[in-house]
Amino acid sequence: MKESKPPLENDAPSLAGVKKEFETLLAREREVSRLKGQMVSIASHEFRTPLSSIQLSASMIEHYFDRLDRAKIFHHLKKIIQAVQDMTAVLDDILSLEKIDSGKIPLNRRHFDLASLGREILDEMQSLTKKDQQLQYRYDGEECCVYLDQNLIRHCITNLISNAIKYSPEAGIIELKTDITEQFICVQVKDNGIGIPEKEQPKLFETFFRAGNAKDIQGTGLGLSIVKRYVELMDGSVSFSSVENIGTVFNLSFPRGMNDRDQPVK
């Protein structure tokens, strides 16, 4: 009768596999815990300034309402609205990151006019510009219709334009360019802002990364990480070039398929 191997010896390979899987899960859990801790820290820090602004402006209106002229009241109301928008943006970034990590971001491709979307985004963001900043739009290509997720591409463009406004000086020029070729759909955002230090550029798309020259400017370090993931969800790629104190150019590129060409130009 053939001797059977000891049970533990038979199970050695499977035990090694279980151990490796357990270590992977443990490392993942630690990373999730670390990210959650950073999210709480970022939210706490980023909420403090707008909450203080809301409290101050509300107190000014409450205590000096009868002595403030109409322009002053609207000035404080505008500050409150802006502060609420800033907090909403932070919450949106945190929620977006959580949805991406849990695979809950639905991809909803449909046909839409890219040129119209570009102009619409710049019109909406005009009110966020600094003194004498210019938002310019340029479109190249014979066709306007693309087949992408309009909500995701809107988020990407809005984030890049918002960053360009934030990190560019007064009277700076921010350009959005869209280009449709036979093979690719391209989106470019160019500014003449503070740029990204060369030694820090490899970390630019890491979650919570903030460049050393941007520490004093409000931000969570989540935006570009989310942009990169959204672009990749649509099978695209993102690249950039930047020179400190000269400016930055971001390029989003998406491959075209048959669905991009089966709709008439509108």
Side-chain angles (χ1 to χ4, degrees), residues 48-66 68-84 86:
R48 191 171 290 115
T49 299
L51 282 172
S52 296
S53 178
I54 290 172
Q55 184 176 33
L56 179 60
S57 291
S59 295
M60 290 290 290
I61 294 174
E62 179 184 13
H63 292 102
Y64 303 103
F65 181 81
D66 56 341
L68 292 175
D69 59 28
R70 187 183 181 88
K72 286 286 186 181
I73 291 174
F74 276 102
H75 170 74
H76 286 294
L77 289 174
K78 187 175 180 180
K79 288 180 69 175
I80 291 172
I81 292 170
Q82 183 60 57
V84 171
D86 289 343

Side-chain angles (χ1 to χ4, degrees), residues 14-109:
S14 60
L15 286 173
V18 170
K19 181 181 178 183
K20 185 176 181 180
E21 184 178 351
F22 176 76
E23 288 175 347
T24 301
L25 290 173
L26 185 60
R28 172 63 178 165
E29 185 65 28
R30 286 173 177 165
E31 177 64 10
V32 169
S33 179
R34 183 185 69 82
L35 289 175
K36 285 182 178 179
Q38 283 186 290
M39 284 184 186
V40 171
S41 177
I42 287 289
S44 175
H45 179 268
E46 292 300 317
F47 282 176
R48 191 171 290 115
T49 299
L51 282 172
S52 296
S53 178
I54 290 172
Q55 184 176 33
L56 179 60
S57 291
S59 295
M60 290 290 290
I61 294 174
E62 179 184 13
H63 292 102
Y64 303 103
F65 181 81
D66 56 341
R67 281 175 275 174
L68 292 175
D69 59 28
R70 187 183 181 88
K72 286 286 186 181
I73 291 174
F74 276 102
H75 170 74
H76 286 294
L77 289 174
K78 187 175 180 180
K79 288 180 69 175
I80 291 172
I81 292 170
Q82 183 60 57
V84 171
Q85 289 175 341
D86 289 343
M87 289 192 296
T88 301
V90 172
L91 280 174
D92 286 344
D93 280 349
I94 291 174
L95 291 173
S96 293
L97 187 64
E98 192 278 330
K99 287 181 179 178
I100 292 172
D101 285 340
S102 60
K104 295 179 180 177
I105 295 291
L107 188 60
N108 182 26
R109 292 179 184 267

Side-chain angles (χ1 to χ4, degrees), residues 101-148:
D101 285 340
S102 60
K104 295 179 180 177
I105 295 291
L107 188 60
N108 182 26
R109 292 179 184 267
R110 68 182 185 87
H111 292 94
F112 64 92
D113 188 313
L114 183 60
S116 295
L117 179 67
R119 296 187 189 97
E120 183 181 310
I121 291 173
L122 288 195
D123 285 344
E124 292 172 355
M125 303 197 74
Q126 190 65 51
S127 62
L128 303 179
T129 57
K130 298 175 184 175
K131 183 179 179 182
D132 296 326
Q133 276 186 340
Q134 297 180 47
L135 299 183
Q136 299 179 353
Y137 178 66
R138 193 173 81 192
Y139 173 76
D140 290 332
E142 296 181 1
E143 300 178 67
C144 298
C145 191
V146 297
Y147 188 66
L148 293 169

